[in-house]
């Protein structure tokens, strides 16, 4: 997915998150993220949007502590606050070339890192929010496939925030093959002594996991287990690396 398509995803997913938040109210429990009420989920996602907005405006790292979030005093007003921040973020990123140099915490130091990262951040938290409605929302196949790739691409960098969990990426050559069954998406993860080696190929791993793009994405980011996915081979390779799925 390209920069503009990903910004469209942010627009769409932010609007759906707001709809879910307004429908249940700020104190509603969020089954997908049991530690959060809806207000906490909206605050987290909106704060992330506004931090990235600050980075985009400065084209450099901005400390979250230095931001004026303008957070409303009343949690009932969080959805409107969130919606306004999402609009600002998308408008700002639309005005920046995707190849423009920009600080990021990942390996891609360009504006396109943030359109991609925020598209998937917003999508997943919209899915979380909709769990409060009593059902399970859906994630478009193309978005889910790109979300898996984005997560795996940035996996090592993301675990730098949790250095104790980096050990989950170290091994003696054990490998995991992930295969999307409703679209084009295959990845081979090899856990080498130096850390994770990632390739996009059809290859045999010590264990293979097959499933729909949405189910594989939700597994990769720790929102679901292996139940309902097709697993072939040594599942212990996955179980010993569960820390890498936290997101």
């Amino acid at each position: 997915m390209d920069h503009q398509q990903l910004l469209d995803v942010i627009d769409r997913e932010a609007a759906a998150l707001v709809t879910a938040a307004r429908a249940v109210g700020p104190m509603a429990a969020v089954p997908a993220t049991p530690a959060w009420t809806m207000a906490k989920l909206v605050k987290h996602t909106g704060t992330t949007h506004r931090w990235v907005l600050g980075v985009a405006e400065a084209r450099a790292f901005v400390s979250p502590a230095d931001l004026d979030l303008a957070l409303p005093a009343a949690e009932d007003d969080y959805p409107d606050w969130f919606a306004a921040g999402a609009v600002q973020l998308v408008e700002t990123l639309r005005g920046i070339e995707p190849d423009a140099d920009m600080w990021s915490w990942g390996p891609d130091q360009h504006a396109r890192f943030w359109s991609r990262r925020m598209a998937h951040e917003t999508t997943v938290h919209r899915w979380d929010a909709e769990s409060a409605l009593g059902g399970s929302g859906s994630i478009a196949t193309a978005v889910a496939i790109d979300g898996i790739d984005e997560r795996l691409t940035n996996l090592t960098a993301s675990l730098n925030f949790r250095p104790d969990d980096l050990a989950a990426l170290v091994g003696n050559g054990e490998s995991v093959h992930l295969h999307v069954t409703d679209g084009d998406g295959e990845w081979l993860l090899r856990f080498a002594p130096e850390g994770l080696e990632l390739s996009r190929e059809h290859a045999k791993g010590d264990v293979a996991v097959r499933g729909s793009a949405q189910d594989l994405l939700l597994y990769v980011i720790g929102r679901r287990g292996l139940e309902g996915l097709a697993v072939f081979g040594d599942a212990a390779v996955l179980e010993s690396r569960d820390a890498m799925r936290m997101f």
Side-chain angles (χ1 to χ4, degrees), residues 117-204:
R117 177 82 286 281
M118 288 302 96
H120 299 302
E121 175 85 1
T122 311
T123 297
V124 168
H125 289 317
R126 182 274 301 167
W127 185 88
D128 292 338
E130 288 184 347
S131 73
L133 299 175
S136 57
S138 63
I139 299 174
T141 298
V143 175
I145 291 172
D146 193 70
I148 296 167
D149 192 79
E150 189 267 344
R151 174 59 177 153
L152 297 178
T153 297
N154 294 322
L155 184 55
T156 299
S158 73
L159 290 186
N160 285 331
F161 297 108
R162 309 195 322 264
D164 289 347
D165 291 330
L166 277 170
L169 304 184
V170 175
N172 294 303
E174 302 92 337
S175 57
V176 175
H177 181 238
L178 302 176
H179 189 166
V180 169
T181 56
D182 56 347
D184 294 327
E186 294 189 70
W187 301 265
L188 184 71
L189 290 72
R190 180 174 176 271
F191 303 101
E194 300 79 19
L196 177 67
E197 297 175 357
L198 173 67
S199 59
R200 297 164 182 83
E201 60 178 311
H202 180 73
K204 182 175 176 58

Side-chain angles (χ1 to χ4, degrees), residues 38-40 42-43 71-83:
M38 184 62 75
K40 288 183 178 178
V42 174
K43 179 182 177 181
L71 187 70
E75 291 182 342
D76 283 334
D77 294 330
Y78 282 11
D80 289 343
W81 168 83
F82 169 81

Side-chain angles (χ1 to χ4, degrees), residues 1-15 49 86 89-91 93-94 96 98 108 110-124 139-151 154:
M1 302 184 75
D2 66 26
H3 181 67
Q4 297 299 332
Q5 289 173 323
L6 290 164
L7 294 175
D8 290 341
V9 171
I10 299 173
D11 259 340
R12 180 175 68 248
E13 298 291 342
H49 280 183
L89 175 63
V90 169
E91 287 180 349
L93 288 174
R94 281 201 196 280
I96 301 173
D108 187 356
H110 300 92
R112 61 176 176 259
F113 172 90
W114 289 114
S115 55
R116 195 181 196 202
R117 177 82 286 281
M118 288 302 96
H120 299 302
E121 175 85 1
T122 311
T123 297
V124 168
I139 299 174
T141 298
V143 175
I145 291 172
D146 193 70
I148 296 167
D149 192 79
E150 189 267 344
R151 174 59 177 153
N154 294 322

Side-chain angles (χ1 to χ4, degrees), residues 151 155 159 162 218-226 238 241-247:
R151 174 59 177 153
L155 184 55
L159 290 186
R162 309 195 322 264
L218 294 174
Y219 170 72
V220 166
I221 63 174
R223 291 303 195 276
R224 60 159 294 160
L226 289 168
L238 296 168
R241 290 173 170 80
D242 200 57
M244 76 180 189
R245 300 195 306 115
M246 294 174 62
F247 189 69

